[in-house]
Amino acid sequence: MDNLDLIQQALPYLLEGTVVTIELTFWSLLIGIVIGLPLAFGQVYGNKALKFVIAIYERLARSIPLLVMLLLLNYGLPRLGLRIPVFRAAVIGIGLRSAAYQSQIYRGAIQSVGGSQLKAALSLGMSRFKAFFYIIAPQAIRIAIPPVANESAIVLKDTSLAFTIGVVELLRQGEYYIATSNKPMVIYLTVAFIYFVLTTLVNGGLSLFERKYQIPGIGIEGGHSDAY
Amino acid sequence: MPTKHLLKIEDLHHSFGSNQVLKGVSFSLNKGETKVIVGPSGTGKSTILNNIIRLVPPDQGKIYLEDTEITATKKINEVRQQIGFVFQDFGLFNHLTALGNIMVGLTKVKKMTKQAAAELALNELDRVGLKEFSDSYPSQLSGGQKQRVGIARALAMQPKLILFDEPTSSLDPELTGEVLKVMRNLAEDGMTMLVVTHEMGFARSVADELIFMEGGHIIEQGDPEQLFTEPVHQRTREFLFQLTDLYGEGGA
């Protein structure tokens, strides 16, 4: 059988898996934001005890290999009487780790805007909330876009680990098709190509966003002075 | 001579950890006056300014803006609207244009309409000679231009007085002149100003009163001409001459 024919036959199954991969990515990133943002606020504005607790969380979440985390959630927790469906287990594992990385991104972005702008905002009579909303956040978001794009691509690729606990996503669909066709090279390459397209879309989308809202002097591509 | 002081500072104390930087400072400011505080680094000059708008609340002492005790008020944001602050490192908002930097306080704090705010902002930019830079972002401006935007931003809030915290210390010597010129014009227009600076030429020619501080105390205060020519304290003489040697008498 011709390779192109093989790909053509495999494609519907692979795309089915691709949808699951996208769902995994979406929910994991969402958990990452929903948990990561408060963690970042806690680290910037919290007291010492809170900062300490968050630091421990981040150290743990960034030190445990994702695969070990997924195995713990899927095979460890049921022994404690807690059984989580595999899709959810995967999203929780990937999301909790992403939260640790995303909180670092947001914390850095908030802190990089700088105390002198905060002081200036307060000196105008703004409340701390207004200063954050109108002065800090608009800049922090722009600064965070490139690292968030990077983190999104990492999460997208790492959803492939969910296949080890039985989530039928892109890679698992590929495995199924290899089992019946015995053509690992072609199928794996097709799977790799789909990941390539997905990450390109994620990065492209976010850099489009970045360019649309770009301001001279903010972010990596800023800093050029054309005043002279 | 007005009987009521615009700003009154009584027995101000402040420490950073075990380092006591202010050890009982009192002075006052009348409407329309320009007072300049000079003194060696670490003497607490900038701390006084930060104490006044409670960016750093003082440990002890009282500060009044007219009848309001700033050190006790619950409405600090309302007090801050009435006191302009010009920072050494400008403190411009990097995501906003020169015009936007001036407008944001007007629209978000004073609740002015965008149109009215833009009109006022443009007027203030014109006043500091930067009308044609209204659409420039801070990264596209020189240091002197940034500081003039900072001054315009303070002015637009129509404050009762403006505090200047070493406004030219981050600037190249050739850029300090344009900022000092703007400040000189303000003083002549009757703006009430409290200025911390090392620019002796400005202090001597613009200040109504010069305050020399050292070690957390006011050593001597009075007419600048008198402090420069016949100071009471030997230390005042040494300091002023040393700085005049360093910075010259130039600068506006």
Side-chain angles (χ1 to χ4, degrees), chain A residues 116-117 119-127 130 134-135 138-139 142 215-218 224-228, chain B residues 50 53 55 77 80-81 83 85 87 89 91-95 104-105 108-109 111 137 139-142 153 157:
Chain A
S116 81
Q117 291 189 58
K119 272 177 75 173
L122 296 178
S123 82
L124 291 174
M126 285 191 194
S127 62
K130 274 189 186 173
Y134 294 117
I135 305 300
Q139 297 178 63
R142 288 177 171 88
I215 284 173
I218 297 179
H224 299 297
S225 176
D226 51 14
Y228 307 107
Chain B
N50 283 310
I53 62 166
L55 282 177
N77 288 337
R80 285 173 178 164
Q81 288 177 46
I83 302 178
F85 203 112
F87 297 87
D89 58 1
L92 292 192
F93 308 131
N94 289 326
H95 63 307
V104 71
K108 305 305 179 194
V109 179
K111 307 285 180 201
Y137 286 95
S139 70
Q140 298 167 322
L141 297 172
S142 72
R153 179 173 66 185
M157 297 294 284

Side-chain angles (χ1 to χ4, degrees), chain B residues 173-188:
Chain B
E174 71 263 34
L175 298 176
T176 57
E178 64 187 59
V179 172
L180 293 177
K181 191 171 155 227
V182 167
M183 290 169 62
R184 173 186 291 269
N185 288 341
L186 286 182
E188 282 166 4

